[in-house]
Amino acid sequence: MADYDSDSSEGEFEETNVLLGYASKEADDEDIISRLGGRPDWLDPEKPPSAALARCKVCSDMMVQLLQLNGELPEKFPGHERRLHVFGCRRSNCRRRDGTVRVLRGVRVFKQEAPNPAKEEKKEQPKAEEAKPVALGDALFGASSFGRGGSANPFGGGGGTGSANPFAKPSEPEEKEEEKPKPQEVSTAGLTKSFAETLALNVPPAQPPPPPEPWPTEDKMPKPYPTLFLADADYETLDPKPTNVPANARVEAADAEEPSAIDREAFESSMDAAFQKFADRLAQNPEQVIRYEYAGTPLLYSKTDAIGKKLASGRGIPGCANCGGRRTFEVQLTPQAIVELEGDDMSLDGMEWGTIIVGVCERDCRPRDTELGQAGYLEEWAGVQWEELAKE
Ligand SMILES: [Zn+2]
Ligand SMILES: [Zn+2]
């Protein structure tokens, strides 16, 4: 991340590595993939993910799309088409509950490069001076670089390369679920097993693929939010000496539960500090609807809620259940996205999150049952920081 806290360039606007996305009703280019709302536009329209992946985990109803993002990172994942879809449940009964916001990563790998961890490490080091990927904004906020049809494979067949990849090995047989390896067994196994296999033992067992389920017809789906294209993006610029702009984040008066008297003071001051920072940052570019920085740091809405504690303590985002690798931050939605999505519908009971933080597999792995050249879908991590209820 840029050193935006420094006073070294007082009076100058400083640019950070966070790419801000802005919504607009119209787009010059109809092929813009990234958008708020609307219906999902899958990598391969013939092969949508199982509808089970877009069901609310509380009420089991179908959810609606909040964000669709063209996630192609040609420098980091050459030969990968990637797309993120964030879904939310529209039912008011489901508000503020776990599993009512879910994120899917669509991936189609045309040619898999052999992983080279050493090279990866080196690349991470000089991050501060690393040039921003010039084409990133174009990739995210423009049309797919993979061509309009999407069916044409710009990388050729590339068949055999996948087998050489230790990360692409098929899933372990069923028995693995029954006998959970103890830590001791893991280290013994490490002697004979490959690095990737050993690593895979240290993460939760692979999530079973969801039951294949066709998508309901449109009349059986909840009403989607309107489509707002993410046609414009800019790297965030910050005034090093911000004036105390009133927070534009939505804080509504409500009957909040009082924290216990003992830790109330500490709770309030830390809550206020994190929230104030959040509100101040957003107020400098109030129209931003998403904040994008692959492998960057999310801007926390709170450090005291479940997600804030997890991320602030460095325990971080849970690992990828498909490949056993780590997950990393990629994008977050801001409260302005709610304003854009709900538009004229503000009279209705609206969404109540402060931010949705998306964490993705840092290897951009593909599902174990998906072959090279085919589109597959994996559930990724969505951390929802619910809107704080203002205290009376
Ligand atoms: Zn629900
Ligand atoms: Zn993975």
Side-chain angles (χ1 to χ4, degrees):
M1 300 247 335
D3 187 14
Y4 45 79
D5 286 332
S6 134
D7 285 339
S8 58
S9 56
E10 212 168 304
E12 301 271 318
F13 280 92
E14 273 187 80
E15 196 173 88
T16 77
N17 287 324
V18 182
L19 194 57
L20 306 181
Y22 300 94
S24 62
K25 287 201 170 73
E26 272 132 56
D28 297 337
D29 185 349
E30 290 286 304
D31 291 322
I32 288 176
I33 291 164
S34 300
R35 60 190 67 164
L36 295 179
R39 295 184 195 282
D41 193 4
W42 308 115
L43 279 181
D44 179 353
E46 303 295 313
K47 288 194 70 187
S50 170
L53 287 169
R55 287 194 181 279
C56 171
K57 286 182 177 173
V58 174
C59 71
S60 297
D61 204 354
M62 293 301 293
M63 301 192 289
V64 295
Q65 181 165 274
L66 304 179
L67 170 70
Q68 170 172 296
L69 193 73
N70 178 0
E72 278 169 26
L73 294 167
E75 290 186 9
K76 194 153 185 59
F77 302 118
H80 287 215
E81 256 185 306
R82 27 186 337 265
R83 203 170 287 185
L84 301 180
H85 303 268
V86 179
F87 292 93
C89 182
R90 287 200 87 152
R91 291 192 181 218
S92 52
N93 287 348
C94 288
R95 265 180 274 155
R96 298 180 173 274
R97 298 179 68 179
D98 287 346
T100 60
V101 172
R102 298 176 73 179
V103 55
L104 298 188
R105 174 171 58 85
V107 61
R108 176 156 51 187
V109 180
F110 287 105
K111 185 183 166 200
Q112 188 115 12
E113 295 200 329
N116 186 344
K119 190 175 145 199
E120 279 293 314
E121 294 295 326
K122 264 186 217 160
K123 273 179 102 175
E124 301 282 346
Q125 291 293 352
K127 205 178 170 196
E129 35 191 321
E130 189 179 300
K132 283 167 187 168
V134 181
L136 182 63
D138 292 343
L140 288 173
F141 299 98
S144 168
S145 59
F146 284 79
R148 273 138 222 241
S151 53
N153 177 355
F155 298 92
T161 47
S163 55
N165 175 9
F167 297 96
K169 69 182 280 292
S171 52
E172 300 267 320
E174 296 291 307
E175 50 186 327
K176 195 182 151 196
E177 300 235 336
E178 289 159 38
E179 32 174 346
K180 259 194 174 168
K182 290 167 194 152
Q184 218 179 357
E185 289 168 344
V186 170
S187 58
T188 320
L191 297 173
T192 51
K193 298 203 176 215
S194 76
F195 174 71
E197 286 170 317
T198 307
L199 194 63
L201 292 175
N202 292 321
V203 299
Q207 57 190 16
E213 182 194 336
W215 279 63
T217 50
E218 295 209 348
D219 56 309
K220 298 220 167 62
M221 290 281 292
K223 188 177 165 230
Y225 286 111
T227 301
L228 294 138
F229 295 99
L230 298 178
D232 296 313
D234 268 319
Y235 281 100
E236 181 182 45
T237 50
L238 295 175
D239 183 345
K241 283 195 161 177
T243 48
N244 267 337
V245 196
N248 77 321
R250 306 165 352 136
V251 179
E252 287 157 12
D255 295 320
E257 264 184 32
E258 298 279 307
S260 83
I262 302 162
D263 57 14
R264 180 172 167 175
E265 202 169 300
F267 172 84
E268 282 184 358
S269 62
S270 64
M271 182 198 97
D272 290 349
F275 176 75
Q276 200 56 52
K277 187 180 164 203
F278 181 89
D280 288 346
R281 276 294 274 283
L282 296 195
Q284 292 211 35
N285 297 279
E287 300 298 313
Q288 61 183 289
V289 293
I290 62 165
R291 300 173 58 81
Y292 184 94
E293 187 187 6
Y294 187 90
T297 309
L299 183 61
L300 294 180
Y301 179 89
S302 158
K303 285 187 177 167
T304 51
D305 70 2
I307 298 296
K309 276 186 198 151
K310 189 190 266 274
L311 296 182
S313 73
R315 269 179 295 144
I317 302 171
C320 171
N322 180 62
C323 74
R326 283 183 302 183
R327 279 206 182 100
T328 190
F329 168 71
E330 180 159 12
V331 66
Q332 73 185 117
L333 285 94
T334 74
Q336 181 64 21
I338 299 179
V339 175
E340 300 281 357
L341 285 167
E342 295 185 344
D344 304 331
D345 270 355
M346 290 299 274
S347 57
L348 300 174
D349 286 338
M351 291 183 271
E352 289 187 352
W353 40 263
T355 186
I356 297 173
I357 297 168
V358 173
V360 297
C361 174
E362 66 174 21
R363 293 174 185 156
D364 198 41
C365 65
R366 65 190 155 99
R368 298 173 186 209
D369 58 356
T370 301
E371 292 177 21
L372 283 177
Q374 293 200 329
Y377 293 85
L378 290 165
E379 179 159 17
E380 294 284 15
W381 184 82
V384 185
Q385 298 203 281
W386 301 105
E387 188 179 33
E388 297 278 359
L389 300 169
K391 285 178 274 295
E392 290 293 321

